[in-house]
Amino acid sequence: MPPRVLPNKCNGCADRDESRCEEVCPGDLMAVDPVTGKAFCRSTRDCWDCMSCIKVCPRAALETRIPYQLGYHKASLRPIMGKNRIIWKCVDINGKESTFEYANRITQKDGLP
């Protein structure tokens, strides 16, 4: 499932020459639409759900949909990167939100935004 862009949050990393999601995507699938200024996935069928773009987004403007075989289309999973931790917000098909927090092995000096 390719990332879902939340248009009210995405600004295409307007302060940068290349958006963070474009920069980090190992498949070179992410791009910014020159008209809307919003990120999008160029080839949704080629996305392999590595979630690199979602983790690196400074505005939390990307999320992944959990495959319908696991949770139907309304379910979502969104990481929120912190300085020393990552929080996963999971929303099930009924709208119930669960939060999981883990220590992060990557530190600020290692290149987190």
Side-chain angles (χ1 to χ4, degrees), residues 3 5 15 18 24 27 54 63 66 84 89 103 105 107 110 113:
V5 178
D15 58 331
E18 183 177 40
V24 76
I54 295 167
E63 69 179 19
I66 296 172
N84 298 316
K89 293 208 177 235
R105 291 183 283 180
T107 63
D110 292 326

Side-chain angles (χ1 to χ4, degrees), residues 65-86:
R65 293 291 187 178
I66 296 172
Y68 73 91
Q69 296 91 335
L70 299 176
Y72 299 99
H73 294 291
K74 292 182 181 181
S76 67
L77 181 64
R78 184 170 49 98
I80 301 167
M81 297 298 292
K83 183 177 178 182
N84 298 316
R85 63 193 170 113
I86 182 169

